[in-house]
Amino acid sequence: RLRLHDGKLIKDRRYHLRTYPNCFVAKELTDWLIDHKEAPDRETGIRLMQKLMDHYIIHHVCDEHSDYKDAKLLYRFRKDDGTFPLSKDVKVFMRGQSIYEKLVSVEESILKVREENSVKYQRTFLGSEMIDWLIQEGEVENRQEAVELGRALLEHGIIQHVSNRHHFFDSDILYQFWINFRRRRRLTELLNENSSRALSESPDSPFCLRKLNPDPGNTSFLSVQTNKEIKIVSAVRRSSITSLSGNSNAYFSTPPTLVFPPVAECNPKSVLKRPVTNEELLSPGAPYVKKTLTIVGDAVGWGFVVRGGRPCHIQAVDPGGPAAAAGMKVCQFVFSVNGVYVLHLDYQTISSLIMTGPRTLVMEVMEAIE
């Protein structure tokens, strides 16, 4: 965005007797992506900009096109017109980036290479050391506020305990920045983030229900670990699973390696009584209410099944999981994920948004009024 401003591709433009500030022409931008080696061809350039649209970063100036079209149409970065969604997650991310930039720009930074259990870690700091620095720099007013900030940064995957076993505490426990904000990412990396696409040939969602044995009461959820690896874990007796890891903190414990019988895929029948369209959901007076759910993933995952597409719906909820505790129910329709509008997306894309996002998942769902 800043490079486009510098190159004068983003500027005020006049169309049909109206001036649109801070916008760019889609066709010109595609040319720019190719000329500056950000995209090898026009097709890739279009896919890249569609990614930015899907992630609510750019939009058509009149919101008349939900797709990015390689034509003489005007688009704009939401940061330039004040419509970029500053959700709690985004605010925490930006706060973490600001703190990181301040820390790496000073000579005597608390960020150092340190060793623990004969393993060296980059960009590390002690919890108490960070709290002292936050108070000294005026980032917070007291130690309690600093602890709350540190916990928010950890829950959003910005910092972590070096061996991922502890939450953030005012102590001499060693932490590190998990994100290197100064690494310049190429746009094409966006196209490689759909790790869930490898499962797209399956008739089920990547969060699908799988049957482990003939016992009808023992199903499992394909859940996402806090380190984003995908594993099959039992949805039954979650507490006994986490206790096997030898750590009472289920959220941050390292899950054990569980061995199961061969997994047989199944395609459970949809829980919806009938298909529902987006038009029906969004029509004035429709019998649906929107709810916001904040789901903090644990060591097993989030504990729900998403299925279908345009709109997607909740197919199943683990009764002992974080999603159920947050109020998620079957038959709810997924409206947004971490601030991204998703009614028009399929389950593969929604699953990718969830798996590449923070541990704390913010979802808007639409529920039928009984």
Side-chain angles (χ1 to χ4, degrees):
R1 169 178 158 267
L2 296 178
R3 292 167 69 195
L4 294 175
H5 273 287
D6 291 340
K8 305 301 181 186
L9 262 78
I10 294 179
K11 59 185 178 182
D12 296 353
R13 299 174 186 269
R14 193 166 180 82
Y15 182 72
H16 283 183
L17 303 179
R18 179 178 174 183
T19 299
Y20 297 90
N22 292 322
C23 59
F24 59 86
V25 178
K27 190 174 185 302
E28 292 179 5
L29 182 53
T30 308
D31 294 335
W32 185 91
L33 290 172
I34 297 172
D35 293 342
H36 289 76
K37 305 293 188 284
E38 290 288 353
D41 49 54
R42 302 196 78 81
E43 180 185 356
T44 304
I46 294 168
R47 289 171 59 205
L48 287 170
M49 300 314 292
Q50 185 61 50
K51 270 283 189 181
L52 297 188
M53 290 197 72
D54 293 342
H55 284 73
Y56 222 63
I57 294 172
I58 65 172
H59 68 125
H60 180 254
V61 291
C62 297
D63 290 318
E64 293 178 354
H65 301 278
S66 59
D67 296 332
Y68 180 81
K69 301 183 184 299
D70 186 21
K72 291 184 178 180
L73 295 174
L74 300 181
Y75 293 82
R76 183 186 292 129
F77 279 83
R78 291 188 178 276
K79 289 273 284 186
D80 285 330
D81 63 9
T83 62
F84 186 71
L86 284 177
S87 65
K88 180 183 177 182
D89 293 334
V90 173
K91 289 178 181 178
V92 171
F93 184 90
M94 294 175 70
R95 186 82 182 276
Q97 183 177 25
S98 172
I99 290 172
Y100 181 86
E101 290 293 342
K102 289 179 72 172
L103 284 169
V104 298
S105 63
V106 297
E107 291 185 6
E108 297 296 325
S109 174
I110 63 173
L111 298 186
K112 299 174 182 177
V113 177
R114 291 181 171 91
E115 188 174 306
E116 183 176 284
N117 296 330
S118 301
V119 179
K120 287 187 177 181
Y121 298 96
Q122 304 288 330
R123 302 187 297 276
T124 67
F125 56 89
L126 301 176
S128 57
E129 197 175 40
M130 173 63 83
I131 288 175
D132 292 338
W133 182 87
L134 289 171
I135 296 174
Q136 176 186 324
E137 294 296 316
E139 292 283 344
V140 295
E141 294 185 357
N142 52 57
R143 303 191 79 81
Q144 178 60 36
E145 188 177 328
V147 170
E148 292 173 359
L149 174 57
R151 293 195 160 216
L153 295 177
L154 190 146
E155 289 170 4
H156 284 74
I158 296 169
I159 65 173
Q160 70 168 25
H161 175 247
V162 290
S163 57
N164 204 25
R165 291 184 178 275
H166 297 285
H167 212 314
F168 184 80
F169 295 102
D170 185 359
S171 66
D172 290 339
I173 297 177
L174 195 60
Y175 301 90
Q176 69 180 152
F177 270 86
W178 188 237
I179 298 177
N180 181 358
F181 290 101
R182 288 202 165 184
R183 184 179 75 86
R184 182 178 177 270
R185 298 183 63 190
R186 297 193 67 82
L187 278 173
T188 49
E189 290 184 45
L190 288 172
L191 301 181
N192 300 323
E193 289 186 346
N194 282 349
S195 57
S196 63
R197 292 290 181 181
L199 301 174
S200 61
E201 294 181 2
S202 166
D204 297 325
S205 156
F207 285 73
C208 65
L209 205 61
R210 309 257 183 188
K211 216 162 188 62
L212 297 177
N213 56 50
D215 179 3
N218 188 14
T219 56
S220 73
F221 289 86
L222 180 60
S223 303
V224 182
Q225 308 280 354
T226 53
N227 63 359
K228 303 300 191 294
E229 293 178 359
I230 300 176
K231 298 191 179 187
I232 305 291
V233 291
S234 174
V236 178
R237 298 185 61 196
R238 298 165 66 94
S239 58
S240 58
I241 289 176
T242 54
S243 66
L244 290 173
S245 66
N247 190 318
S248 60
N249 189 339
Y251 189 89
F252 296 98
S253 61
T254 303
T257 302
L258 302 178
V259 180
F260 293 108
V263 177
E265 293 189 12
C266 62
N267 187 11
K269 184 179 179 181
S270 173
V271 294
L272 299 180
K273 295 180 180 178
R274 61 177 182 82
V276 176
T277 64
N278 285 338
E279 290 73 18
E280 184 178 348
L281 278 178
L282 301 175
S283 62
Y288 295 94
V289 60
K290 188 190 298 183
K291 294 184 177 181
T292 301
L293 308 178
T294 301
I295 308 166
V296 181
D298 62 12
V300 179
W302 292 284
F304 67 93
V305 177
V306 62
R307 192 162 177 243
R310 303 180 183 91
C312 287
H313 65 273
I314 304 302
Q315 173 72 8
V317 180
D318 175 3
M328 180 174 284
K329 302 175 184 177
V330 296
C331 296
Q332 289 174 334
F333 294 94
V334 185
F335 183 86
S336 73
V337 173
N338 295 326
V340 179
Y341 173 78
V342 297
L343 278 183
H344 62 297
L345 301 179
D346 56 24
Y347 68 75
Q348 294 102 326
T349 306
I350 291 179
S351 299
S352 176
L353 283 175
I354 294 170
M355 288 189 285
T356 58
R359 294 188 188 102
T360 302
L361 175 65
V362 179
M363 292 179 64
E364 286 183 299
V365 296
M366 299 191 72
E367 180 178 306
I369 301 174
E370 297 181 359

